[in-house]
């Protein structure tokens, strides 16, 4: 490396640099994106033009659907239902990937809560472990708690909305929790997960449209980013231009092993 400054970067900074080209390729500047056709496009309803939305997200690539998913009919529910399902799935996976990407970086650099999150007799945080190794070190009951909570969020997201995203609802919406005392799990009022303090509701339609494009593009980049981290740990050298991460001997696709 000689005396090049980049050689002094930590592994995680190298990882961020290595992912920059792919992120830039997906998340094109939003100011260059043409405005969506109408205010309804800001809500990403199923009546929006697929081609128009694709061009707004990435003017360079535009509409690209070699598998024909945008015109498919899953489960004989019709194309509009399929389009709503695909849109909702992409937004949801993008949000999860953004959490995972940031969480991976924080944990890889040793950032964690300053107090134990488990009972004294259970394993606690172990310094020096990578994010997938930390997951492997969790007790089975801790993993079950996490999956149970995720299952509840999925349950409420499907059954709590007034209009389902496959039946004309807005993909990406997460319904409000019921008022206090309506169901046993809400003894007190629980804030909306997407907009707990009501800031998003005060934004203009133009701001919402721009924010939605940013969320989708960032989610796409994060999905590539978190999988790049895991791929590099499992197969060193599999990610072009770095990053150099500690190899992982476990199975990332077998969470309970």
């Amino acid at each position: 490396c000689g005396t090049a400054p980049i050689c002094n970067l930590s592994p995680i900074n190298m990882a961020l640099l290595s992912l920059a080209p792919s992120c830039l390729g997906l998340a094109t500047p939003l100011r260059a994106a043409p405005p969506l056709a109408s205010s309804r496009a800001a809500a990403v309803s199923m009546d929006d033009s697929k081609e128009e939305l694709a061009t707004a997200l990435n003017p360079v690539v535009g509409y690209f659907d070699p598998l024909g998913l945008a015109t498919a009919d899953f489960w004989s529910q019709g194309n509009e239902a399929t389009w709503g399902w695909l849109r909702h799935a992409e937004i949801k996976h993008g949000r999860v990937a953004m959490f995972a990407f940031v969480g991976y970086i924080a944990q890889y650099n040793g950032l964690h809560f300053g107090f134990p999150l488990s009972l004294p007799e259970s394993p606690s945080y172990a310094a020096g472990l990578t994010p997938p190794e930390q997951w492997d070190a969790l007790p089975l009951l801790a993993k079950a708690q996490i999956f149970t909570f995720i299952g509840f969020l999925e349950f409420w997201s499907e059954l709590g909305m007034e209009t389902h995203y496959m039946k004309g609802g807005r993909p990406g919406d997460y319904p409000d929790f019921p008022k206090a005392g309506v169901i046993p799990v809400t003894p007190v009022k629980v804030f909306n997960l997407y907009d707990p303090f009501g800031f998003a509701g005060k934004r203009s339609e133009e701001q919402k449209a721009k924010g939605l494009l940013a969320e989708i593009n960032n989610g796409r980049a994060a999905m590539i980013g978190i999988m790049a981290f895991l791929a590099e740990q499992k197969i060193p050298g599999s990610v072009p231009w770095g990053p150099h991460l500690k190899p992982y001997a476990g199975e990332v696709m077998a969470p309970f092993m």
Side-chain angles (χ1 to χ4, degrees):
C1 290
T3 58
I6 194 172
C7 297
N8 298 322
L9 294 177
S10 65
I12 204 65
N13 287 329
M14 291 288 291
L16 291 173
L17 286 175
S18 71
L19 293 170
S22 62
C23 295
L24 292 175
L26 285 173
T28 54
L30 289 176
R31 71 185 67 181
L36 297 177
S38 65
S39 61
R40 297 190 67 239
V44 194
S45 75
M46 287 185 291
D47 293 329
D48 293 330
S49 166
K50 303 176 179 67
E51 294 81 0
E52 186 179 37
L53 178 60
T55 302
L57 286 167
N58 194 323
V60 176
V61 176
Y63 183 70
F64 182 72
D65 183 25
L67 299 180
L69 294 177
T71 56
D73 180 6
F74 292 174
W75 311 293
S76 300
Q77 297 294 310
N79 177 249
E80 285 193 354
T82 300
W83 176 241
W85 185 86
L86 290 170
R87 294 286 299 109
H88 187 80
E90 180 186 33
I91 294 173
K92 182 167 64 175
H93 281 77
R95 290 169 179 170
V96 173
M98 285 186 280
F99 273 111
F101 185 81
V102 174
Y104 186 103
I105 294 174
Q107 200 282 325
Y108 198 97
N109 283 277
L111 300 178
H112 60 90
F113 290 105
F115 51 87
L117 297 176
S118 57
L119 298 175
E121 62 271 16
S122 300
S124 59
Y125 176 81
L129 296 182
T130 63
E133 290 172 339
Q134 285 287 356
W135 172 261
D136 291 342
L138 286 176
L140 180 61
L141 287 179
K143 296 179 181 179
Q145 290 175 1
I146 295 173
F147 273 88
T148 299
F149 178 67
I150 295 173
F152 167 75
L153 295 179
E154 285 291 300
F155 163 81
W156 183 249
S157 71
E158 291 293 320
L159 300 182
M161 59 181 60
E162 295 182 3
T163 305
H164 197 270
Y165 52 84
M166 292 182 68
K167 299 180 179 179
R170 295 188 301 179
D173 268 8
Y174 194 90
D176 289 333
F177 290 107
K179 297 179 180 179
V182 174
I183 56 178
V185 295
T186 56
V188 296
K189 173 62 180 175
V190 180
F191 289 112
N192 178 280
L193 293 181
Y194 175 71
D195 187 23
F197 303 108
F199 295 146
K202 301 176 182 178
R203 303 171 68 192
S204 67
E205 293 299 318
E206 182 180 357
Q207 290 174 324
K208 290 180 181 178
K210 183 177 180 180
L212 178 62
L213 297 181
E215 179 184 35
I216 295 175
N217 276 329
N218 289 335
R220 291 175 176 178
M223 286 188 275
I224 294 177
I226 187 60
M227 292 307 297
F229 283 154
L230 296 176
E232 176 61 26
Q233 277 202 260
K234 190 64 180 176
I235 309 174
S238 61
V239 179
W241 306 294
H244 304 293
L245 304 176
K246 179 182 176 181
Y248 172 60
E251 296 293 338
V252 295
M253 296 301 177
F256 288 101
M257 289 185 63

